[in-house]
Amino acid sequence: MIKFFLMVNKQGQTRLSKYYEHVDVNKRTLLETEVIKSCLSRSNEQCSFIEYKDFKLIYRQYAALFIVVGVNDTENEMAIYEFIHNFVEVLDEYFSRVEPINELLKRGSALEPQQASVSTTPIY
Amino acid sequence: MPAVSKGDGMRGLAVFISDIRNCKSKEAEIKRINKELANIRSKFKGDKALDGYSKKKYVCKLLFIFLLGHDIDFGHMEAVNLLSSNKYTEKQIGYLFISVLVNSNSELIRLINNAIKNDLASRNPTFMCLALHCIANVGSREMGEAFAADIPRILVAGDSMDSVKQSAALCLLRLYKASPDLVPMGEWTARVVHLLNDQHMGVVTAAVSLITCLCKKNPDDFKTCISLAVSRLSRIVSSASTDLQDYTYYFVPAPWLSVKLLRLLQCYPPPEDAAVKGRLVECLETVLNKAQEPPKSKKVQHSNAKNAILFETISLIIHYDSEPNLLVRACNQLGQFLQHRETNLRYLALESMCTLASSEFSHEAVKTHIDTVINALKTERDVSVRQRAADLLYAMCDRSNAKQIVSEMLRYLETADYAIREEIVLKVAILAEKYAVDYSWYVDTILNLIRIAGDYVSEEVWYRVLQIVTNRDDVQGYAAKTVFEALQAPACHENMVKVGGYILGEFGNLIAGDPRSSPPVQFSLLHSKFHLCSVATRALLLSTYIKFINLFPETKATIQGVLRAGSQLRNADVELQQRAVEYLTLSSVASTDVLATVLEEMPPFPERESSILAKLKRKKGPGAASALDDGRRDPSSNDINGGVEPTPSTVSTPSPSADLLGLRAAPPPAAPPASAGAGNLLVDVFDGPAAQPSLGPTPEEAFLSPGPEDIGPPIPEADELLNKFVCKNNGVLFENQLLQIGVKSEFRQNLGRMYLFYGNKTSVQFQNFSPTVVHPGDLQTHILSGLGQPPTKRVAAQVDGGAQVQQVLNIECLRDFLTPPLLSLPVTINKFFQPTEMAAQDFFQRWKQLSLPQQEAQKIFKANHPMDAEVTKAKLLGFGSALLDNVDPNPENFVGAGIIQTKALQVGCLLRLEPNAQAQMYRLTLRTSKEPVSRHLCELLAQQF
């Protein structure tokens, strides 16, 4: 199952976060820092799956924005990887271009969880 | 789906947000926020009732402020009010506020339950969805308690809209995951399964997720989903890419749904119905075929989606593990991916292939890719891909390719990432042991490991090599030679010094003939490393030195000189100091014979599960190693490499470090045998101080000698065992991994006969097996038996593996006695009881006759076992006395009488046992004509209850 869904920029700021399992607020910050650190340290030649603690991170980069999904081992990595792209396309549809999302989410990190759940629910 | 409409207004909100954005500093921002908070508070508190629009606007502003990281301590009521609005936008903002803030204020939940209830019952699909989303987003136990019962109903109701069904399924899934006990299974489960047939693909997707989770706990309730899932899958897989309009993703029909269906099928074994199975196999073949077709689109999204389905199909094929044809095809497909330019695919292919390698059908097919995998290990730039490659090499290893794989892994180790070195070391060590054909190769491999990655060689690895070298005499000479050569290196790892020190101490004599490795050379080589080593290693080396004194008397003077040096005798470390002092004294005081006995070669170690394998399992978590250590591929491996054979023993064996080297402080490893412990363990039946059994040279025999390398205590100690036999005559007297001794005995008057059965539990022959029974001299006057004289029948000198031999002992009780013979044979004085029946009157008369205080022994004690009258009776009868009914006025009490028969005299005994069920206590009184007998019997019997 999907444990969490993160949008983080290259500066390490969380733009959107949605947890599907309860995680303490303090622990979230720590987790997000570590997650983005491990994503940023990777090159294009490396695969998009990172084993992290007892789950896997699956990430995709869109310009300066990383979308990272944390899953346990019951998920198909490739399906999630492509699901991220599907999600981005849905956002693109809503907001005409994805690039502004970064702008849009700059401050209020999560007027969008609702958006996320709207678009994630029917497809996945 | 509600679109974000720009015309919805809330200009005030837009202005506020742009104000905040334009703030130049944090202070300015806080000032602006405080101003806004004051404004909102005054609006909410004002007399004028706010309309829905204003409420919505202010709640939005509060939400925005909250998301900026400020606490919100008001406005909750206004948000809750919005829930009852009939306008979608107002209701939505209300729910949004609650979903976001609810963790910080669970009081809110009670307030909103009512509103949610109304929305769920509203029949307005949009409102129902909002309510369901809210329940799922909060997902708390309180929510579950309030709504878990309603949601299944909504889910399967005929009139629910698709979007509602979808939300209800996911909401239920969330609640079930949070608190499964709150979601009752019922008749709705059958109807949920039928959602797999639903027209709407979104509903099917949501339903599959729900069923996959539910069926794990209740597989039988959802069994019908198999055929439905298969037919659904088949329809998707065989459809043209245009059939499923909205659910086609870059020309791939419903990729995520396909993946989910394939995953659901992995919760079950292959379908039993042949038609269903046929259809499914067809689907799987279609997916494999499609992978070979030219892509319908050049876009990466197309191939990604297709490959997602392909990987899931392959996992299902591996899960079934029953279709050789499909398994081989899957393997070939993965083989193609191994060389794909996309790293993701290579990673996933290596990962899947790892599970494929453990299937008997595809193991050979996997092996054909060995060169590609080795190449991946060498050239991949991503450590996690290399790690997968190493895992796969480990999984595909068998006897035919072990040498190649091990040497490649060793080569890789030189450049491997630090993070995975230890794991690779463990894997190499396991493979080398498991598939070793000749042990010189094994020894070379492990020494190479220590040379290349000494820091990552854990204790388990080098303990293991010592165990194996000790247990196989064909490799000892080679091992000694090799470590000697390895130690010549100017800088060698401390683990190498440890292994070298131990092996030379044991088997250095095997290479001493060569002048290049003569004893003094060996010693000076080891001693040249001594000062650079840690305390533990130095302690080990000291033991090696004392062993050298035994092996090579010509080194005695040199070594004594070393031990005598102030740096040893006055070492700050107490362990080193103690060893130096003791070894020095031992070497000067003990005769050569004693030295030879004390410093004898270590006996072989009992076979047990490889400690390395255990470590790898620990590292990987349970189950992870299951694919790795399965013996089915190569059953012949076990007989040569007995080390990985799990022994069925339940007896705890000492930890490898303790028995190997005695590094754990305690007594030095070479403590003189046969001393303090003697008489305590039942093993002493064979090996008392009075008569040393003739120990043969075979390793099996060596186990029986006591000393630091003892194989661990037999299960219960002697005293406990004796207690077991006070009230019964037959049973198992002693048992360890090697030997079981059973006892059958019968006693009449002052004579007894005891049959001892010696069972050999191992598969090898015991040679020169001669049990000798010993009894201290003073007992002989009291109880003489056939023990001293040659037993009625001598035991055969050889005991074949798995066989049993019998020995008969005749016993005669000469006088009363207290100490049982040898602390081990279950012969206690009560065995010579002769029960005596008597009437109540007689009993009391005799009771009074024995009224001298020293004739009576009494004990009051707590019950150790449940107080059952029948059991007690059986025990008293087993003890040997007669049980007298209708003697004691209290029917609860037990009264017994008997005479102990010895050759010299007879001792009359009366006993009375008064149980007190309430207090769980007993009072036991014994009266006999001999004072010590009373006390002894009383003590013996008291331990039985």
Side-chain angles (χ1 to χ4, degrees), chain B residues 115-419:
Chain B
I116 293 180
K117 268 219 155 74
N118 291 338
D119 279 337
L120 283 183
S122 69
R123 308 185 137 270
N124 175 332
T126 326
F127 291 179
M128 287 170 88
C129 281
L130 277 177
L132 287 167
H133 287 181
C134 180
I135 298 171
N137 273 328
V138 175
S140 64
R141 193 163 175 90
E142 288 98 326
M143 280 288 182
E145 276 162 1
F147 301 107
D150 297 337
I151 297 169
R153 198 174 36 73
I154 297 174
L155 176 60
V156 298
D159 55 350
S160 288
M161 299 276 289
D162 292 336
S163 58
V164 175
K165 279 189 199 162
Q166 215 172 329
S167 303
L170 293 179
C171 179
L172 193 59
L173 174 59
R174 175 70 196 257
L175 291 183
Y176 182 79
K177 274 184 181 157
S179 23
D181 54 308
L182 291 180
V183 181
M185 295 300 127
E187 54 93 34
W188 60 274
T189 51
R191 297 170 71 184
V192 165
V193 173
H194 280 276
L195 290 178
L196 293 179
N197 260 336
D198 201 281
Q199 294 280 316
H200 192 273
M201 299 286 271
V203 174
V204 184
T205 312
V208 180
S209 299
L210 177 64
I211 294 169
T212 308
C213 181
L214 293 176
C215 79
K216 284 193 183 126
K217 282 237 178 79
N218 325 281
D220 289 336
D221 289 355
F222 293 91
K223 227 176 170 172
T224 44
C225 75
I226 302 174
S227 62
L228 289 174
V230 169
S231 66
R232 192 66 185 198
L233 182 70
S234 146
R235 266 178 284 159
I236 297 172
V237 168
S238 57
S239 69
S241 54
T242 47
D243 288 357
L244 298 160
Q245 290 279 318
D246 288 350
Y247 286 85
T248 299
Y249 181 83
Y250 290 90
F251 305 100
V252 183
W256 290 282
L257 177 55
S258 308
V259 166
K260 278 182 177 286
L261 286 167
L262 288 162
R263 222 167 242 264
L264 171 61
L265 290 170
Q266 286 171 57
C267 299
Y268 289 95
E272 285 152 18
D273 185 330
V276 176
K277 188 167 184 194
R279 202 165 175 198
L280 178 58
V281 169
E282 214 170 276
C283 284
L284 302 178
E285 279 170 348
T286 315
V287 174
L288 289 172
N289 291 340
K290 276 190 179 174
Q292 298 301 323
E293 289 169 10
K296 293 199 180 84
S297 155
K298 287 236 162 67
K299 287 233 160 84
V300 66
Q301 286 87 344
H302 171 74
S303 58
N304 281 347
K306 214 163 107 178
N307 290 335
I309 302 176
L310 186 57
F311 278 115
E312 205 59 56
T313 303
I314 291 174
S315 343
L316 183 64
I317 293 172
I318 296 171
H319 170 75
Y320 286 163
D321 196 13
S322 60
E323 302 281 332
N325 174 36
L326 288 176
L327 281 161
V328 171
R329 282 193 68 184
C331 181
N332 294 339
Q333 181 62 54
L334 293 176
Q336 288 181 17
F337 285 151
L338 286 184
Q339 284 163 319
H340 202 280
R341 64 192 157 76
E342 267 211 52
T343 316
N344 286 345
L345 289 181
R346 294 197 304 273
Y347 173 90
L348 294 174
L350 287 167
E351 193 179 53
S352 292
M353 219 179 229
C354 210
T355 46
L356 207 52
S358 52
S359 162
E360 53 179 322
F361 300 115
S362 50
H363 183 70
E364 287 304 315
V366 170
K367 271 167 62 186
T368 58
H369 299 287
I370 181 164
D371 293 329
T372 322
V373 182
I374 287 173
N375 194 41
L377 191 64
K378 285 178 182 160
T379 56
E380 280 291 349
R381 299 197 182 175
D382 182 347
V383 53
S384 42
V385 183
R386 287 196 297 270
Q387 165 112 50
R388 289 286 151 271
D391 285 350
L392 178 54
L393 281 181
Y394 180 73
M396 69 161 74
C397 190
D398 63 16
R399 184 149 301 172
S400 69
N401 55 19
K403 282 201 174 176
Q404 187 188 7
I405 287 180
V406 165
S407 73
E408 288 298 341
M409 284 171 104
L410 272 177
R411 198 166 308 149
Y412 171 55
L413 196 56
E414 299 193 35
T415 54
D417 311 79
Y418 296 110

Side-chain angles (χ1 to χ4, degrees), chain B residues 777-845:
Chain B
D778 59 337
L779 273 182
Q780 272 175 351
T781 56
H782 296 279
I783 150 172
L784 185 70
S785 43
L787 305 181
Q789 294 106 34
T792 326
K793 187 178 155 221
R794 271 207 71 90
V795 185
Q798 270 102 30
V799 187
D800 286 335
Q804 199 179 51
V805 291
Q806 187 186 5
Q807 183 182 29
V808 187
L809 302 173
N810 289 324
I811 301 165
E812 186 180 4
C813 178
L814 303 177
R815 290 186 56 194
D816 55 302
F817 63 99
L818 307 180
T819 327
L822 336 164
L823 283 169
S824 51
L825 284 184
V827 180
T828 43
I829 188 155
N830 65 297
K831 297 292 179 196
F832 303 95
F833 244 129
Q834 186 155 32
T836 323
E837 293 290 344
M838 58 180 84
Q841 208 185 349
D842 289 342
F843 181 85
F844 284 117
Q845 196 189 346

Side-chain angles (χ1 to χ4, degrees), chain A residues 15-29:
Chain A
R15 289 309 181 208
L16 177 147
S17 69
K18 176 77 184 165
Y19 288 81
Y20 297 92
E21 224 166 51
H22 182 74
V23 181
D24 275 349
V25 178
N26 306 333
K27 288 195 181 146
R28 287 183 187 192
T29 329

Side-chain angles (χ1 to χ4, degrees), chain B residues 449-695:
Chain B
L449 268 186
I450 297 176
R451 191 176 51 75
I452 297 170
D455 285 342
Y456 298 89
V457 172
S458 56
E459 289 187 335
E460 285 85 348
V461 173
W462 67 265
Y463 287 165
R464 190 68 192 156
V465 71
L466 295 183
Q467 287 177 8
I468 286 179
V469 170
T470 309
N471 287 12
R472 330 208 106 251
D473 38 17
D474 51 336
V475 75
Q476 289 162 354
Y478 181 79
K481 183 166 158 282
T482 323
V483 289
F484 179 77
E485 280 161 9
L487 286 173
Q488 310 258 328
C492 64
H493 194 273
E494 192 167 334
N495 279 336
M496 186 72 89
V497 179
K498 286 179 184 165
V499 175
Y502 189 91
I503 289 184
L504 291 181
E506 292 290 318
F507 311 113
N509 54 332
L510 299 177
I511 55 165
D514 189 329
R516 284 166 299 174
S517 53
S518 67
V521 177
Q522 286 187 35
F523 172 72
S524 58
L525 179 62
L526 281 177
H527 199 56
S528 67
K529 317 278 180 197
F530 187 87
H531 303 282
L532 303 168
C533 293
S534 67
V535 169
T537 310
R538 276 189 271 166
L540 186 151
L541 285 178
L542 288 179
S543 296
T544 302
Y545 296 170
I546 186 75
K547 289 222 160 195
F548 270 15
I549 292 186
N550 175 45
L551 286 180
F552 316 121
E554 66 265 39
T555 58
K556 185 169 173 177
T558 326
I559 291 174
Q560 280 183 333
V562 169
L563 292 175
R564 205 176 284 122
S567 59
Q568 311 299 349
L569 280 188
R570 282 188 293 281
N571 196 294
D573 185 86
V574 69
E575 175 69 28
L576 290 181
Q577 195 186 89
Q578 185 180 356
R579 284 189 190 218
V581 171
E582 286 179 3
Y583 290 163
L584 183 60
T585 318
L586 183 67
S587 69
S588 15
V589 172
S591 69
T592 357
D593 284 352
V594 172
L595 264 187
T597 318
V598 172
L599 303 169
E600 206 182 359
E601 195 178 289
M602 282 289 180
F605 294 90
E607 294 300 355
R608 57 193 146 204
E609 186 187 28
S610 159
S611 46
I612 315 175
L613 205 57
K615 172 155 179 153
L616 189 70
K617 278 183 190 159
R618 272 203 305 280
K619 230 176 133 62
K620 292 282 231 171
S626 58
L628 313 174
D629 60 354
D630 58 328
R632 67 183 157 139
R633 277 206 311 270
D634 201 2
S636 62
S637 68
N638 282 345
D639 43 15
I640 297 193
N641 313 304
V644 287
E645 227 168 31
T647 44
S649 129
T650 51
V651 182
S652 69
T653 44
S655 74
S657 65
D659 55 358
L660 265 173
L661 305 165
L663 289 182
R664 305 255 161 97
S675 54
N680 207 3
L681 299 182
L682 278 165
V683 193
D684 299 325
V685 176
F686 307 101
D687 189 8
Q692 186 84 20
S694 48
L695 279 180

